[in-house]
Amino acid sequence: MPFLREGVTVRDESTALQAEFTHLEEEHGTSTLGALVADSGIGIGEWDRMYSIYATTGNILNQRLGTDLRWSGLPFDDSDVQVFMNKGKVVYAFLDRTPRHNVENLKYATPQSVVQARKFTPKPWDGGYQPPDYWRAEIESFAP
């Protein structure tokens, strides 16, 4: 019997988790990533790292995460894949299609990572139109 690799199905983005980030932005608040994930109720379970990887192939994910998994549900667009791990094993992965809640590639966030809403002022467009300011939740990352 041939060796079958363990598989991971990448899920669509969680509207419940997105709602927690949106609420933080609307309140101009600060939280931890662990609290936002827990409050969303998405049921990840225990996790110790979250990676944000721009990837459309399982080989890229395996290379960056140091895993040897069979990946399904990967994007064929400009999405990031958010990967939650616990003790080196993938426990949850989802597509972040905008992407919105990322940490830099080859770095990771933890449940204790600070998530803070920050105000951004876009540059004026040609013709003088000034787009309105907006708030975006940013996740603090840690180098591996």
Side-chain angles (χ1 to χ4, degrees), residues 120-125 129-134:
F120 289 88
T121 301
K123 292 180 182 177
W125 296 0
Y129 173 72
Q130 175 65 54
D133 293 346
Y134 65 95

Side-chain angles (χ1 to χ4, degrees), residues 111-130:
Q112 296 80 28
S113 291
V114 173
V115 182
Q116 184 171 7
R118 297 189 193 279
K119 183 179 178 181
F120 289 88
T121 301
K123 292 180 182 177
W125 296 0
D126 288 340
Y129 173 72
Q130 175 65 54

Side-chain angles (χ1 to χ4, degrees), residues 31-85:
S31 186
T32 65
L33 185 56
L36 291 174
V37 169
D39 291 347
S40 75
I42 60 176
I44 291 176
E46 287 191 43
W47 61 279
D48 56 15
R49 294 182 181 192
M50 185 206 79
Y51 293 87
S52 178
I53 301 172
Y54 175 76
T56 57
T57 70
N59 288 340
I60 292 171
L61 288 168
N62 284 330
Q63 180 183 23
R64 296 225 177 123
L65 297 171
T67 57
D68 184 27
L69 300 167
R70 181 178 34 82
W71 295 84
S72 62
L74 291 173
F76 295 101
D77 55 20
D78 289 335
S79 299
D80 279 0
V81 178
Q82 308 295 356
V83 181
F84 290 82
M85 299 182 78

Side-chain angles (χ1 to χ4, degrees), residues 1 6 16 18 25-26 29 32 44 46 58 63 78 84 87 91-92 95-96 104 113 134 136 138:
M1 175 179 229
E6 185 178 342
Q18 176 55 41
E25 291 165 349
E26 290 170 349
T32 65
I44 291 176
E46 287 191 43
Q63 180 183 23
D78 289 335
F84 290 82
K87 299 177 183 163
V91 295
Y92 190 82
L95 298 179
D96 192 5
E104 294 180 30
S113 291
Y134 65 95
R136 177 181 164 132
E138 292 189 339

Side-chain angles (χ1 to χ4, degrees), residues 17-28 100-101 137:
L17 184 55
Q18 176 55 41
E20 292 299 320
F21 277 91
T22 299
H23 179 73
L24 186 76
E25 291 165 349
E26 290 170 349
E27 298 294 318
H28 308 165
R100 294 180 262 252
H101 315 302

